[in-house]
Each structure stands twice: as structure tokens, then as C-alpha cells.
Amino acid sequence: MTSHTGFAAIAAQLDGQAIELPSWAFGNSGTRFKVFGSAGTPRSVEEKIADAATVHRFTGLAPTVALHIPWDKVDDYAALRSYAAEQGVALGTINSNTFQDDDYKFGSLAHVDPKVRRKAIDHHLECIDIMDATGSRDLKSWLADGSNYPGQADLRGRQDRLAESLSTIYDRIGEEQRLVLEYKFFEPAFYHTDVPDWGTSYAQVTALGERATVCLDTGHHAPGTNIEFIVMQLLRLGKLGSFDFNSRFYADDDLIVGSADPFQLFRILFEVIRGGGFGPDSDVAFMLDQCHNVENKIPGQIRSVLNVQEMTARALLVDRVALDAAQTDGDVLGAHGILMDAFYTDVRGDLAAWREERGLPADPMRAYAESDYQSQIEAARVGGTQLSWN
Amino acid sequence: MTSHTGFAAIAAQLDGQAIELPSWAFGNSGTRFKVFGSAGTPRSVEEKIADAATVHRFTGLAPTVALHIPWDKVDDYAALRSYAAEQGVALGTINSNTFQDDDYKFGSLAHVDPKVRRKAIDHHLECIDIMDATGSRDLKSWLADGSNYPGQADLRGRQDRLAESLSTIYDRIGEEQRLVLEYKFFEPAFYHTDVPDWGTSYAQVTALGERATVCLDTGHHAPGTNIEFIVMQLLRLGKLGSFDFNSRFYADDDLIVGSADPFQLFRILFEVIRGGGFGPDSDVAFMLDQCHNVENKIPGQIRSVLNVQEMTARALLVDRVALDAAQTDGDVLGAHGILMDAFYTDVRGDLAAWREERGLPADPMRAYAESDYQSQIEAARVGGTQLSWN
Amino acid sequence: MTSHTGFAAIAAQLDGQAIELPSWAFGNSGTRFKVFGSAGTPRSVEEKIADAATVHRFTGLAPTVALHIPWDKVDDYAALRSYAAEQGVALGTINSNTFQDDDYKFGSLAHVDPKVRRKAIDHHLECIDIMDATGSRDLKSWLADGSNYPGQADLRGRQDRLAESLSTIYDRIGEEQRLVLEYKFFEPAFYHTDVPDWGTSYAQVTALGERATVCLDTGHHAPGTNIEFIVMQLLRLGKLGSFDFNSRFYADDDLIVGSADPFQLFRILFEVIRGGGFGPDSDVAFMLDQCHNVENKIPGQIRSVLNVQEMTARALLVDRVALDAAQTDGDVLGAHGILMDAFYTDVRGDLAAWREERGLPADPMRAYAESDYQSQIEAARVGGTQLSWN
Amino acid sequence: MTSHTGFAAIAAQLDGQAIELPSWAFGNSGTRFKVFGSAGTPRSVEEKIADAATVHRFTGLAPTVALHIPWDKVDDYAALRSYAAEQGVALGTINSNTFQDDDYKFGSLAHVDPKVRRKAIDHHLECIDIMDATGSRDLKSWLADGSNYPGQADLRGRQDRLAESLSTIYDRIGEEQRLVLEYKFFEPAFYHTDVPDWGTSYAQVTALGERATVCLDTGHHAPGTNIEFIVMQLLRLGKLGSFDFNSRFYADDDLIVGSADPFQLFRILFEVIRGGGFGPDSDVAFMLDQCHNVENKIPGQIRSVLNVQEMTARALLVDRVALDAAQTDGDVLGAHGILMDAFYTDVRGDLAAWREERGLPADPMRAYAESDYQSQIEAARVGGTQLSWN
């Protein structure tokens, strides 16, 4: 029943897998209806980093933390970098924010007003300064730019202005740095979004140059979109810069990756591997971007990186030689069965052993629950203002 | 080219059309990313009512204002009722709120904890007390109850508890009052919603009794749903209680009614008329439920009620005798053409004249823009806290 | 890591699981663009039954075959019944067909013309006569009725006529028989469908009586619909008559059940079990309704019943006591994890042993491939006309 | 209330508007469930062309007819060209067909087997030969290539082979000819499609060269897709080759253009005009691609070209100077209102006059109904085989 060669053959490939955590996942988040708080939520960037480092300590999977500017703005980034290193993690991608200032009501890099565009460009340049200080490689730009009503905006003019703004930012990107442009189907704009699909992001970054790539957020597509196809295509075109992992049933729900459609996550990771996006020779960045609206945040992040690891293991198990033969033969059920065989393989026991060999807890979820980290932070983090998207 | 009998034949039917305005439309609203403020936004229930009355003064279409509890809680509802009457409007539907208290993190009427259910029931009973004081007929309940992850909740248990809670509330509903249960496809819950579709709302209210009906929010359906079919069905089953009008391109975008798909609004109103839901003999309530995130609020509401009126006029123009004949003959293009003929008829000039005959401004949008109401409230409403969903 | 009690505890519950096969799955099917033939395709009802019996012989899961009238019309149903019994299967649900006759261009049971309605009613009565002869319990009615253009049809009139037609049919349903009404979101009608959703089917069958129930086809919903919620609701309301299993990525793709979203199938079966729809005391019927457009048909059906069995086993493994406790505690990640633990459990080895204990092949897919059934039918079934939807 | 300058100012721009008709629209079409025939349906290519010419005679809008190979294969294309000219139309786009031969079960230009790819390439080369004979400019390729099950196909390998095949075809495209690559979200493949979105088509044609462009079929997108944005983007990138117009509520319903969402058609045409895609200087081709499953075919085509013309007129009426000012001012409701004002303007009377000035019937639908063309073809076209997709 099992065609694959077993976990032993792929165990080594799991070494070095790294999934970046977003600092904001440790703060409160919610919907337009309500943001629920929870005991122990960080009140400072440092506390967020400490939580992220905890996830890494229990899983070995999350060596870096992404920052969001201005949410994670500090006076001394060198100090923050040192603090992170002491905790056992490094600072990663810098995410810009051009959607919370009142000036951005009608957009940022695509805004009709050159003063607002300049402000948004300058914000990105500031982010690059921060990257220089933190040693970050990637500047990720997700834009809330768009409109709510037909006629409200000149779609074409906005696209041209966006191209110009991006070009100005790109000119400042260092030789070892990258600009990563995220696309999103809708929200917060409800009629049009200036970077709604991978095609637009691809066309824009291609016009910029080699160090500009696309960020694929798994929750940012129209219903029914075949996401693994886009993964394949962007890898083929050399433009897949990074992932924002999460899952969804409806819109950009930002649920735990793998919780809504585990088989889709498996297919995505299979295309990542098949297309050369996994392993030491790939520069594709893997990051979470989730909102733990109702579940506990730290175990939510632990669950998430484990889900990615487990699915990566399953995707690595696919017997690609047999698969290729079945595909070439037009053996539909045979080829499908080879893929499903890997998906249905229960890798959890093997991964528990794999972790123990590496000095990690066999069951990170249980280990965290049995640790006193949560009770400590709940006791210690009293007073102050819990961070959310601010 | 035109088969219908013309505006004169339907003008009288437009008299008495009434569209209820939601008090919260005059406060700030937004997305989880940002709520933008605007000059002149009300700081009190009274200021909201004054704005709603202004919409009515310019259009003659909006004689009542719906309240949301606790957002619109006051000490003296009799005084509020008088204040509204002085402004020229009456108080309408009372909307309950069981989604903003920390206790409601995991639901309200369907919550697993009887204490939380009791709290949510008591809130509804309080709303009925308010209805007694305001003279409101309808208690509208939209529930945020649901879950984000498969396994998080016992779907069946929640449904049974919901039925029990609703029954307790319904027992308190007065002879001349109604309980209206709204359904919603998703948001803020992202895996399951306890009242996700019209079928669930219908099954629940049917179990309650005659004075329980369904509220159809035009933005609360799955992509592609034929909403006018549901209108037809609920009217046929005698269970269409009220509408929450708005429009959408993607999810529950809460845009201005008629702005995203005017033809859909036309089809909905045609089924309302065809099914007996329009006119003095119908007790279907028409209400707006929108968020003016980026546009001005008062003209946003004026535009909305005008859109409903214009589409109602077009829907009334349909030559139903000719339509029936074409349908019976299997004349697909003929029947479709009769419908489209009414839709494409430009009723705006006739409506302008209709308004002038009734002492209303011919062009309410322009009249408002040329009035000094906006500048007055911007000057007067300084200080205090602008209201949003609070 | 594993909380459930293991396969041994649930093995016995798998005995008696029965999934009905549709006779038409063994004929050719396709899209509007092309129907591809394949060697060995049946040319007669008897050959379809022989193929279905083969699926049962290899899996022990498919003891009955559904017929489609007129596709499976024969002169002597008693003889057909005996033939099936000799092959080792029984005749099951009778499916009516009111979509292929030219008279049905504008509908059948809801048609505006009483003569066409009468014809469609008479067809259903003929199906009941056949049921009497075959010993079938269920008459399943899926209607292609609908319209393509707004205005083409009077939605309300059609609904009323549908109710009347169904009532006439229901009057003839025997005491031990059932009328099962299927709903479908769209196709072949592209504007409106007369039974588009579970709510409509529920309202219609409730008006008929106890022996009228709803058929849930897993491919007949709007994008994003939470199907397990509907399963829960229909079981709660006592109106879930039967399933048509298949899977889909986009529309009514009719792919192999469990191939597109295995986790969704798991959730559906979990709700079936939780709601009392599984086991000897339930009268919910489980049937496949798929199109093997590009894959081999007999192994396609074997794969399908195995998928349902494997997912049923996983759903039975859920530790419901622990789940209930976690749900009651508001332990989101704990409850979700209990569900996922069962889903990720690899039951295939245990099921292989379970089969061998019952004299069945451990790996039915391999056993079929290694048998000579396929080569025999390919050699024998030469000449004649391969059956498709005719 | 009206800001635009009126019909007189735009009347001249409507001259020369040309919408290509597909020959196959005059044959029977349907769904996988049934293809309904109708009296008078053509039995030959010539009869299809005669019907298309009739549409042009009544509307002045449809001077060319697209051919589909092999459906419209003839021995003597020069003779066919002359025949068309005598009827008053010219031959237009040549559409290839690589989905109906048994060899194409698993694809064509992307097939894993080089022999099948060669066959599909040769078919395209044959189409170019036909173009040379007919004087056609465009070779349009819509591919049914894809797969139904995850694992069935190597997505990346197929994409690379597609690129190679297209390159071979492109090498043969004449200096004055173009290769137009159509994309489609799904159907007939249900898991993946090899050219599923505009991004893929854009990436593929960009790799080919200047004479390769994208075909946008308005029915080939995911639910909720903002199509006018894609129109804008492709025009901006210089890669919008042609349109296949139709409309849809759910999937690729192929309904009459403008019948499902007229406002969407208006927005699309507005972006066409705004982006330079309309008028004598544009080489964007406008074509219908519809299926008249239940309505009469010739009036179905007349209705369609009229819908495009009427919406073009409305889109031309937009006061772009005022719109630009409102957009620049951030006047959301003002800008939206300017767009809606043009949309709601009833241009039908002006267009009737415009037609009469040009010797065309004021009301082409009525003129056709009052003509005897339909009765003539119904009487004359007896015997033979009605054409459908064959």
C-alpha cells in the first residue's frame, strides 16, 4: 500500500527548515466587530520577541522574527538585534505599513496626491534603513491601496503611479536585499485592489529588476484558486520571493496554516519542493501571517510551524520516480494514489523521534502546555497596554 | 422599444415607501485594519438621530431610525422618542448586540455556558423593554456566534441551545412585536456560523411561532447566491420579516445599496413586488445596513435611499401582463427583454418631478451639498468622542 | 500524541457500512466539450450491474446499485433483480430523469405547461412502479428545472407548481418507500434553479410529509459552503434522507469522493456519526454520484468506496469524550487538536487487516489491478454501443 | 442631474464599432445533460455564415465571422471567403480545437507525449494555413489542457512543454498575423488548467514576442474577480489582444453578454475606452463567445451585439473631465455618481435614431421578428444534420 521509501530517507532534508514568525502574531488581533484580549499578551517589542523565541525553543523551526514598522519601531535596532540574539532568534523581514495613517485613506504608493506617495515612499526608505541596522534581507510591502466604489479611482493612473513609487524604493534596495511585493484579492478595499493578483505583482516586480520578487499569502486569492499552480508558475518564472502562510475557509481569515484544508497545504509544499523552492539552495522565504483571534497565541504559533513541518515531511515522502512514471503512462488513479499515499502517511511519530534526536521536545504542544512559560508571562505582564495592531 | 405604461401609472405606488436608517451608519466604521474618522461625526445618539432626520428631510424616504443596544442606550427612551419626533422621524427596529462583550468570545445565545446564554437572553429582554418604551415593533437579532476551527465547537449542541434561547426570548415578545432573526454566511466566525443561511433562520423561526421571521441582509450570502430567489421563497413561506440593504463585491462589504450590482437590486425589488412584499398591505421592513468607510456618511445614506427608490420605480414599471404572456409562451428573449426594458428606463427625471410635487428637492444629493448642514455640524461637533461601533 | 482509543474499538462499527453505487458511473461521461470512451465500457444494464458487483466483491462495501430511469429501463425488473442477486448485489434507489426529453427544455415538475408537468409526474409514478418491482425503498428526484435569464421564468409560480407536482407524486409513495428531493446550486440552468439549496428542499419536503426527505449531493453548493453544518442541521430536523457523494474544486465537478478535500469528507462523516446518521439505527442512505471522465471507472468506484470507509474509520476514532470536555472548556486548540489527531491517523494498515479477516483483499485497488476482470471485459465487450448518459 | 454632454457628442465614435460573431453560435449547444435542437439550425458552414450576415444586416455591428477548425473546415477557403463577401461579411479569427479528438484526453500542446504535442502543433499550423487563405489576422488558441486529480499531472513539466509548443507555432505566425492565447479558470479540467489566469497567459505570450497577445473571455474567471482591472492591466502592458464576450452567474455559463451583470459590462467597456482599446487606433478584437442553449440563436446574437453597442455608448458618455476632477479631489460619491450617471442614461432612443440615419432598422430585435428570415430558414433547412459542436 505504501510506495514511498520512508521517513529515514527524508529526515535529513528537514534539518534547516526555517519558518519566520511575525511579531504581530503575539499581539491581540480580531475582526472589525471585536478584538479580544488575553492574559500575558506582550506590551513591548521585546516581549513579542521573547514569545517568538519561545516558539523556536520548543520547535527548532522558527529562528527569525519579522518586524512590522511602525508597530515594532524602537530607538536602537542594534540593541534589539542583540536582544533577539540573546533570546535565540534573529530579526527577519521588515514589513512596511501604509494603511493606518489618516493620510492613507485613499491609498499610499498609488495615491493621486504626490505628497502622500512621497510619504509612503519615505516610509519604505526608512524601513530599508532599519533593514541595514537589523541585517534583514527582505522588505515586504503589502498595500491596502484600492477603492470601494466604481468610479472612485482611476485604475490605470494608480497602476502607473504604483510602478513609479516602487521604482523609487527599489533604487534604494541594497545589493543583498530584496523588495517583496505582496498581492491580495480584496480587503480592506472592496471594489478594487491595486495589487489584486499574482499577475499584477509579477508584472510590477519584473519591471523593477532581479531583486524584486512576489510574496504569496495563501489567504489572498479568489475562491477556488489553485494556489499550488501559482507556486509552480512563480518558481518557474524565478519570482517567488516568499510565503505568508495561513489558512482560510472564506476570505482572508488568517487562521492557523493547515487547519482549513490540510491537503491544499500538502499540495503547495509539494510544488515548492518540486520547483526547487525548498532546501539550502533556495532563497524562498517561509513566514507565517496569522491572527489568533480566539485561540492562545504562543501555542497557536507552535501548532502552525509544526503543521508546516509535518506537511513538508509528507510532501518529501512522495515517490517522485513512481509518480513521474504514472504521469507519463496516463495512469490517473495510479498517479493520484502515489500523491495521496504520502499525504495519508502519519509522520507524527517519526517527527517526534526526529525532534528528540535533536534535543527538542517530542511533542512541542504538550511540552509548552506543561512548561510554566504561559503562567509566568500571565503573572509578569500586568499593567501597561497589550499590543495589538498598533 | 418600450412596453411599459410609464411612470405616471406607478407614481402613486411610490408614496409611502419607507426605508429605515441605522443609527450606526452616521458613526465611524471601517475594517480590522483601520477606522477613519471624519469631521462632523456624531458624538451622541441625539446627533445620530439629527443626521438621520436630515436624510429624511431631503428625501422623504426615511421616516424611522433603527437603534442598536447598547450603542444607543439612553436613560430616558421616552425623551429620545420625543426628540426624534421633533426632528421629524420615529424610532424603529431595536438591534441587539451580543458580540462586543468579552463574555461573548465563544458565542452568546448558543454558548456552551448557561451563564453566558442567560446574559445574552437578558440582553434581548432588555431590548424588548426598550421596544416597549420606544414603540418599536421589531427586535432584530444578528448573532456573531460561531467558531474558527473545526472541532472547536459542537455544531449540533449549539443549534439546540440557540433554539432554546430564542424560545425564551420569543416568549417575552409582545402581541404587536416581532422577533427577526438575521443569518450570515461568515464573519466574524471563520469556520462555522450558527445561523449561516436562510434555511437555518427559517427552521429556527418556524419553530418559534408566527411573530418570528427572517431578516435578509443582502451582503450575507455565499458567492453566486441568487438572492431574489430567497426573497421569493421567504415571501412564499410567509417568513420574510425584513431587509438589511447594502451591496458587495466580495464578502460582507457593506457598501451603498445598488452600487455594486444595480441589476441585482432591481431583481430583488421585482420579487418583493411580485411576492406582495411592497405596499401598504405588506409588513416587510426595509432597512439599510451599511458602512461608509471612505465616503461621507449623510450623502452616503441619501444616495442609498434614492437608489432603493429608483430601483423600486424601475421594478414597478415592469409590464407584468406582457411578462406573464412571454413566460407562458416560452419566449426567453421576449420575457428577458420585458424585464430589461424596465431596468434600462431612466426614471430619474420623473422622480425629480415626483419629488418636487411633494415639496422635496428634485435632486436631494445636490440639495444636501448646497445646504449648510454639513458645514454646520463640522463646526459644531468639535470635542467629545466621535461615535463608531461603541 | 494520540488521544483516541485505537482502531480495535471501532472496527466492529465498520461492519455493515454500505455505499450504493450508481449504475451510470460505469458508463462513459464527460463534459459539454467531449465524452471520452474507454475499452470495456458496458453496453447494457446487466453489464453495469456486473461491474458494480465487482466493486462489491473487491471491497465488501457496495451491496446495492442505484438505477436511473429511463437509462436503465428494462422489460422485466424481476429478472433484473434476480440477475443482480446472482451477481451478489441488490437493486437500490430509483433515480428519475426529467431533463433529457425535448419537452423538458423549460422544466418538468415546475413547467408552466400542465401537459409537461403531467408527463413528468407520470414519469415519477412509473418510477414508483419500478420500485415496487425492484423492491427499492427510495425514489430520488433531481430536477434540472430552472432558467437561464432573469425574466425568463416566474420564480414563484414555478415553486408553487413544483409543490403541487411533488404532492401528486408523494401521494403514490408506498408506506415503506420514500421520496428524496435533491437540491443543486446551478447547472444546467444558469440563472435560477428551482431547488437550489437545502432550505428549499427542506421546505418542500416538509410540506409533503414524513416519508419525504432531502438528498445532499456534496458537489451542489455555493463556493465556501460549510456542508457539514447542513448535515448537522438536516439530521437535527429529521430530514436527511441520503447523500450523493463526490468531490469538487469548482462547480459540480463530480470527482472521486475525498479526492479534492479529504478533510471536508472527514468533517462531514464526523457530523453524520455525531448526529446519529451512521449505523444500524439510521436510515440515511449513502450513495456515490460521480463521473469518471478521464480515469478508469471500476477502480474509480473502488477508490471511492474505500475513501468513504477510510474517512469513516478516522471519524469514528475521534475521542468524543475528550472533545466534549475541550469544547466545554473553551480550549480551542485542544478541541481542534483532538479532531485533527483522528484525521491524521493512518488507518490504512488496520483496514487492510480488517478486510483480510473478512475474506476481502487487503488492498482492493491492487487486487483489482492484478485480477483479470478488466482484461476480460475489454476483450468481451466489443461491438454494440457503449453506454453513457443514455 | 446629468453631467455628461449628451449622445450627439459621442455618436460618431460609435461608427465603425465591430463585433465578431462566432460561427458556432448559430449551431446547437447545451450542457453535459442535454443539447436541445431548434428549427432552422444550420447544417453547413455556409448556412452559419448566412445567419451571421443576417445579424450584421439588421445591426450594422457584426461585419466578420470567426471560424472554428475543424468544425468549419471546407475544401476551398477562397470560395468560402467569396461566399461570405457576397453575404456581406468577412471571415475573421481562426479558432483552433484541440479538445475533441481522443488523442487529446490528457491534453494537447502541454501533453506529456511528444506525438500528441506534434499533432496539436500541426493542427495550429494548419489553422495558420487557413488564415493565409481566408485573410484572417488572428489565430486564437483556447486549450482544454489540464487535469482532474492532484498528482495526475506534473504542472511544471506541462507549463514548460506548453511554452515550447507555443514557440513552435509562433515561429510560423506571419508578420501581419497574431497568436492570441485564451485563459480559463476551469472546465473541462477540474483540478488544474494549464492556462488558468491572465498572469499565465501574459507570461507565456510575453516569452513569445510582440505578435502574441492575450484573449480575455469574460466568463473565464474566479468568482468575484474584478475583470475591468485585468482589462486595464493588459492594455497597460500592451497585451490585450481580444475579448470573448458573454456573461455568467456561476461558471462559464456563456450567456448573452450583458444579461447577467450589465453594470460589469459597462465598467469593462469604460476601461477599454479609457485604456485606448476602442476606436480606429486600437487593434483589440471584440468577439462574442456564447451558447444559446434555450433561446433563439439569431435574435440571441442580435441582442448581444446591441448590448455591447448600448453599453459602449453609455461608457462613452462618461464625463471623464469631471470624473478626473472628482477622483483627484477624493470625492468618492461625486466620482461614483459621475460614472453611474452615464450608466443610468437611457441611450436606446438615441441609438434607434442613430441606426435609422444609417439605413438600419431602429429596433433590430423587432425588425428581425417581423422579417421572414426565421420562417424561411425553418422551412428551408429540413433534413440534413443540424450542426452543434461538431
Side-chain angles (χ1 to χ4, degrees), chain D residues 16 31 44 57 66 96-97 112 114 119 146 181-182 187 210 214 216 223 236-237 278 297 324 366 379:
Chain D
T31 69
S44 67
R57 207 158 53 242
S96 64
N97 177 324
V112 72
K119 175 174 175 169
L181 182 63
E182 191 165 337
E187 197 212 22
E210 276 195 12
V214 176
L216 187 160
R236 177 179 174 267
L237 297 167
F278 181 76
K297 297 169 183 76
D324 184 64
R366 174 174 298 182

Side-chain angles (χ1 to χ4, degrees), chain B residues 272-293:
Chain B
V272 168
I273 295 164
R274 189 261 176 265
F278 181 76
D281 297 333
S282 163
D283 58 2
V284 176
F286 298 84
M287 202 180 103
L288 301 183
D289 188 10
Q290 303 176 163
C291 292
H292 302 301
N293 295 353

Side-chain angles (χ1 to χ4, degrees), chain B residues 214-237:
Chain B
V214 176
C215 174
L216 187 159
D217 184 305
T218 51
H220 289 189
H221 303 85
T225 300
N226 185 324
I227 297 174
E228 58 268 28
F229 182 92
I230 300 175
V231 171
M232 174 281 292
Q233 188 69 277
L234 285 171
L235 281 168
R236 177 179 174 267
L237 296 167

Side-chain angles (χ1 to χ4, degrees), chain A residues 160-352:
Chain A
D160 292 337
R161 292 191 294 269
L162 172 62
E164 190 183 274
S165 296
L166 287 172
S167 175
T168 307
I169 296 166
Y170 186 73
D171 285 346
R172 169 69 181 79
I173 288 282
E175 282 302 314
E176 305 300 319
Q177 295 173 335
R178 305 191 308 177
L179 173 61
V180 187
L181 182 63
E182 191 165 339
Y183 61 92
K184 185 173 183 181
F185 186 49
F186 82 100
E187 195 211 21
F190 294 128
Y191 163 59
H192 107 274
T193 295
D194 285 307
V195 190
D197 51 24
W198 79 263
T200 295
S201 186
Y202 169 69
Q204 287 280 1
V205 301
T206 299
L208 294 176
E210 275 195 11
R211 282 164 295 127
T213 58
V214 176
C215 174
L216 187 159
D217 183 304
T218 50
H220 289 188
H221 302 86
T225 300
N226 185 324
I227 298 174
E228 58 269 27
F229 182 92
I230 299 175
V231 171
M232 173 281 291
Q233 188 68 277
L234 285 172
L235 281 168
R236 176 179 174 267
L237 296 167
K239 282 297 185 189
L240 181 60
S242 63
F243 277 99
D244 270 8
F245 279 123
N246 52 61
S247 71
R248 52 166 275 183
F249 287 97
Y250 304 98
D252 186 29
D253 307 342
D254 281 331
L255 302 176
I256 288 175
V257 57
S259 67
D261 186 349
F263 184 43
Q264 183 187 58
L265 177 59
F266 169 81
R267 300 193 310 264
I268 288 171
L269 288 166
F270 177 73
E271 286 303 324
V272 167
I273 295 164
R274 189 261 176 265
F278 181 76
D281 298 333
S282 164
D283 58 2
V284 176
F286 298 85
M287 202 180 103
L288 302 182
D289 187 11
Q290 302 174 164
C291 293
H292 302 300
N293 294 354
V294 297
E295 68 274 20
N296 292 330
K297 298 168 183 75
I298 296 171
Q301 292 281 295
I302 293 175
R303 179 72 271 159
S304 301
V305 296
L306 293 177
N307 282 357
V308 175
Q309 183 185 43
E310 290 178 13
M311 274 313 165
T312 304
R314 289 185 181 93
L316 287 166
L317 282 178
V318 174
D319 183 341
R320 287 175 56 191
V321 173
L323 181 64
D324 185 63
Q327 290 171 340
T328 303
D329 288 351
D331 179 3
V332 177
L333 291 170
H336 175 62
I338 289 163
L339 201 77
M340 300 313 289
D341 179 38
F343 175 68
Y344 283 131
T345 300
D346 193 345
V347 296
R348 295 175 299 168
D350 285 323
L351 276 171

Side-chain angles (χ1 to χ4, degrees), chain D residues 45-78:
Chain D
V45 183
E46 287 76 12
E47 289 181 354
K48 292 195 222 170
I49 290 175
D51 288 358
T54 301
V55 173
H56 186 48
R57 207 158 53 242
F58 280 89
T59 63
L61 288 168
T64 59
V65 189
L67 301 183
H68 196 111
I69 306 300
W71 299 343
D72 296 325
K73 222 166 165 172
V74 292
D75 290 331
D76 186 344
Y77 289 96

Side-chain angles (χ1 to χ4, degrees), chain A residues 106 150-154 156 159-160 163 191 193 196-200 222 226 228-229 233 236 274 327 332 335-336, chain D residues 106 150-154 156 159-160 163 191 193 196-200 222 226 228-229 233 236 274 323 327 332 335-336:
Chain A
F106 297 120
Q152 177 187 334
D154 176 356
R156 169 67 175 270
Q159 199 68 203
D160 292 337
Y191 163 59
T193 295
D197 51 24
W198 79 263
T200 295
N226 185 324
E228 58 269 27
F229 182 92
Q233 188 68 277
R236 176 179 174 267
R274 189 261 176 265
Q327 290 171 340
V332 177
H336 175 62
Chain D
F106 297 121
Q152 176 187 335
D154 176 356
R156 170 65 176 271
Q159 199 68 204
D160 292 337
Y191 163 58
T193 295
D197 51 24
W198 80 264
T200 294
N226 185 324
E228 59 268 28
F229 182 92
Q233 189 68 277
R236 177 179 174 267
R274 188 260 175 267
L323 181 64
Q327 290 171 340
V332 177
H336 175 63

Side-chain angles (χ1 to χ4, degrees), chain D residues 24-145:
Chain D
W24 55 97
F26 300 97
N28 294 320
S29 61
T31 69
R32 58 176 172 148
F33 296 99
K34 171 73 174 173
V35 174
F36 292 99
S38 60
T41 295
R43 289 108 13 111
S44 67
V45 183
E46 287 76 12
E47 289 181 354
K48 292 195 222 170
I49 290 175
D51 288 358
T54 301
V55 173
H56 186 48
R57 207 158 53 242
F58 280 89
T59 63
L61 288 168
T64 59
V65 189
L67 301 183
H68 196 111
I69 306 300
W71 299 343
D72 296 325
K73 222 166 165 172
V74 292
D75 290 331
D76 186 344
Y77 289 96
L80 192 70
R81 192 177 182 174
S82 299
Y83 175 81
E86 286 161 23
Q87 301 292 315
V89 293
L91 302 178
T93 299
I94 301 298
N95 293 261
S96 64
N97 177 324
T98 58
F99 54 88
Q100 285 192 314
D101 192 288
D102 283 337
D103 282 343
Y104 297 138
K105 184 172 181 179
F106 297 121
S108 61
L109 295 181
H111 200 288
V112 72
D113 182 343
K115 287 195 299 293
V116 179
R117 292 203 299 280
R118 188 66 242 179
K119 175 174 175 169
I121 291 168
D122 287 343
H123 168 70
H124 281 84
L125 299 186
E126 182 194 1
C127 287
I128 301 174
D129 290 340
I130 295 171
M131 292 163 68
D132 293 340
T134 55
S136 302
R137 182 188 61 173
D138 289 352
L139 170 61
K140 191 167 67 183
S141 187
W142 168 68
L143 301 170
D145 287 55

